[in-house]
């Protein structure tokens, strides 16, 4: 288990723990939350430049739209129905 694991969990909970948290999160807070997720970091293999480039590539691929990302994160984390279908 990485040494920073507990801190990563806290960061994810603050950024994505509720609909309200996501809606009030800044771009920086969303980025920090994403960088604390193992699944997000696994995308490194598809991005040149390592961890430094991952956030900018993510935002570029999402049209630099904070609202678009918030909508997607809210749906994926807190949407209706079974999370497996989301």
């Amino acid at each position: 288990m990485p040494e920073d694991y507990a801190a990563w969990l806290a960061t994810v909970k603050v950024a994505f723990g509720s609909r309200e948290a996501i809606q009030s999160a800044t771009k920086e807070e969303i980025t920090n939350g994403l960088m604390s997720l193992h699944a997000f970091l696994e995308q490194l293999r598809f991005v040149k430049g390592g961890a430094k480039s991952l956030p900018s590539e993510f935002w570029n691929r999402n049209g630099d739209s904070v609202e678009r990302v918030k909508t997607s994160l809210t749906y994926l984390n807190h949407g209706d129905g079974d999370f497996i279908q989301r």
Side-chain angles (χ1 to χ4, degrees), residues 59-73:
W59 288 107
N60 285 338
R61 290 185 185 191
N62 283 283
D64 205 35
S65 174
V66 175
E67 289 308 312
R68 175 181 171 181
V69 170
K70 286 181 179 184
T71 298
S72 295
L73 289 170

Side-chain angles (χ1 to χ4, degrees), residues 1 28 50 52:
M1 182 173 353
E28 182 178 351
K52 287 191 290 187

